[in-house]
Amino acid sequence: MALSIGIVGLPNVGKSTLFNTITKNQVSASNYPFCTIDPNVGVVTVPDERLEKLSAISGSAKLLPTTIEFVDIAGLVKGAHKGEGLGNKFLAHIRECDAICEVVRAFEDDNIIHVDGRIDPKEDRQTINIELIMADLSTVEKAIERKTREAKSGDKDALKHKDLFVKLKENLDGEKAAREFECNEEDEKVIAQLQLITKKPIIYVINDNKGNSLDSSGWDGLVITLNVQLESEIASLPKEDQAEFIKELGLDESGLDKLIKASYELLGLSTFLTTGKIETRAWTVKKGSKAPVAAAAIHSDFEKNFIRVEIVKWQDFVACNGEAVAREKGLLRTEGKEYIVQDGDVCHFLVNK
């Protein structure tokens, strides 16, 4: 399942540095706006300590974690929705992503110019959000015009959808993102067809180098504070030294790992596991997926040929030192087509050949 998160923000807030650190790809991070013109894409692994434990028991030849795609999108500026800067192109790149990671600058550095000449995280967030909202407003206004024409022919659904879009427009006019618009499940499906940018889930990364406290109450998404430059320095260390340095900082894991895990959660994903001599692997599915859908993550034919699935919780697999003892203790069970796969399930799917 190829899912992507677009990293956005004003110029010179640390976006490209964050992307470089996450993906270990060195793209331009120069001190001027628009240095990243085409989006840079990097695939990163999601940290998962369960894999090594399962692999050690199974004696796996390979270990394959699940992944997320991060896209470094060049800095937006005021007027982007009108095409200012490289706005239209950037907005198109954001629209193609599944979720948004918005980097907000809170760090002070006289050597790195702020595009507006001041450090104000809340104002920066507002600037970006207004640009995204204005882009969505244009989309919704066009949808209202289209549904108005269709309703004139007596199309009742068109009239219903037009009324829904008018309410959504009022929400956007109030400078509220589409994700803040409350509606029922049926209306959600209709709105989803518009592919609105501000409907995408969002995580805010406050880039701060002083440990300042910022009131982010009321922000419409997950909020994580990172010292992006420090995370870059940690990532540049040899692997064997990183853990020791993180421990010296009094942390359990790097802020970067927290961000990657949080991004995975933001996308509403769940991980099931398979393990054996050949490989131990993490597989990605949407939360709430039934067993046949999860099976399709391994091979598309597995969904239609699904018979049943044998499941043991990863903790039980480890505690029993493998499947055999887990089976003896009754900790391995068989489930059918209606079973909803849970995060951490170690699965063995049985399918028709």
Side-chain angles (χ1 to χ4, degrees):
M1 180 181 290
L3 293 164
S4 62
I5 295 183
I7 303 177
V8 305
L10 293 172
N12 297 340
V13 298
K15 289 187 310 80
S16 292
T17 302
L18 178 63
F19 176 82
N20 292 345
T21 307
I22 289 174
T23 64
K24 308 298 189 297
N25 290 335
Q26 293 305 307
V27 301
S28 175
S30 303
N31 180 26
Y32 56 90
F34 315 130
C35 63
T36 309
I37 296 176
D38 293 315
N40 295 273
V41 180
V43 178
V44 302
T45 59
V46 179
D48 194 336
E49 60 276 6
R50 300 173 297 189
L51 293 176
E52 290 187 6
K53 294 177 181 178
L54 295 177
S55 179
I57 293 170
S58 299
S60 305
K62 291 192 295 184
L63 191 153
L64 299 170
T66 190
T67 61
I68 298 178
E69 186 177 274
F70 280 88
V71 183
D72 181 29
I73 298 169
L76 290 167
V77 293
K78 287 180 181 177
H81 69 282
K82 301 175 184 176
E84 294 292 332
L86 297 173
N88 290 331
K89 188 174 183 180
F90 300 160
L91 291 169
H93 291 319
I94 298 169
R95 208 179 295 278
E96 292 168 2
C97 295
D98 298 290
I100 298 170
C101 173
E102 182 174 326
V103 182
V104 180
R105 177 174 174 174
F107 69 87
E108 300 277 354
D109 190 332
D110 293 338
N111 295 316
I112 301 178
I113 304 164
H114 188 288
V115 70
D116 290 329
R118 51 96 184 106
I119 306 300
D120 188 337
K122 290 186 177 181
E123 185 65 26
D124 286 0
R125 169 187 173 270
Q126 186 70 355
T127 296
I128 293 293
N129 287 2
I130 289 297
E131 292 304 322
L132 302 184
I133 286 170
M134 292 299 290
D136 280 348
L137 194 56
S138 175
T139 300
V140 172
E141 287 172 344
K142 289 175 184 175
I144 291 172
E145 292 174 5
R146 185 170 63 253
K147 292 301 176 182
T148 299
R149 290 194 300 270
E150 293 173 3
K152 288 179 180 178
S153 66
D155 187 331
K156 292 183 179 179
D157 283 340
L159 180 59
K160 183 179 177 182
H161 295 167
K162 175 203 158 188
D163 291 341
L164 172 64
F165 295 157
V166 167
K167 292 177 183 177
L168 177 57
K169 180 180 180 299
E170 291 172 356
N171 178 91
L172 295 170
D173 281 334
E175 299 185 353
K176 290 184 178 180
R179 71 182 72 88
E180 297 183 79
F181 180 64
E182 296 183 7
C183 59
N184 58 38
E185 189 174 340
E186 181 183 346
D187 289 343
E188 286 280 4
K189 291 178 181 178
V190 175
I191 291 173
Q193 296 173 16
L194 299 179
Q195 296 182 306
L196 300 176
I197 295 173
T198 66
K199 191 65 176 171
K200 299 178 188 294
I202 190 167
I203 183 167
Y204 295 99
V205 173
I206 300 172
N207 185 8
D208 177 41
N209 60 357
K210 298 291 185 182
N212 297 318
S213 177
L214 174 66
D215 181 13
S216 59
S217 57
W219 290 25
D220 58 333
L222 294 173
V223 179
I224 289 181
T225 299
L226 288 182
N227 182 336
V228 174
Q229 187 57 46
L230 177 62
E231 294 297 331
S232 178
E233 292 169 8
I234 293 173
S236 68
L237 294 172
K239 274 289 183 184
E240 58 271 18
D241 295 337
Q242 289 183 23
E244 185 62 31
F245 187 39
I246 291 167
K247 187 176 179 181
E248 288 177 5
L249 293 172
L251 304 173
D252 296 325
E253 61 182 343
S254 72
L256 205 58
D257 282 352
K258 287 182 180 178
L259 172 60
I260 294 170
K261 289 179 180 178
S263 299
Y264 189 81
E265 287 290 319
L266 184 72
L267 290 167
L269 304 177
S270 183
T271 300
F272 72 88
L273 311 159
T274 57
T275 186
K277 289 288 184 184
I278 297 176
E279 66 180 29
T280 291
R281 183 165 183 168
W283 301 87
T284 299
V285 291
K286 284 287 187 181
K287 286 182 179 178
S289 295
K290 292 183 179 180
V293 174
I298 298 175
H299 194 289
S300 57
D301 288 344
F302 282 14
E303 183 171 6
K304 64 181 179 181
N305 295 327
F306 177 89
I307 299 174
R308 60 184 182 277
V309 59
E310 292 181 336
I311 291 172
V312 58
K313 293 296 181 186
W314 78 270
Q315 299 96 324
D316 293 335
F317 187 98
V318 172
C320 294
N321 202 38
E323 183 180 298
V325 176
R327 190 186 296 273
E328 289 174 9
K329 291 187 174 182
L331 297 173
L332 184 146
R333 65 187 192 280
T334 300
E335 298 286 354
K337 292 182 177 181
E338 295 304 309
Y339 177 71
I340 295 176
V341 173
Q342 302 298 308
D343 190 80
D345 280 349
V346 179
C347 300
H348 177 212
F349 294 99
L350 290 88
V351 298
N352 283 317
K353 299 289 186 178

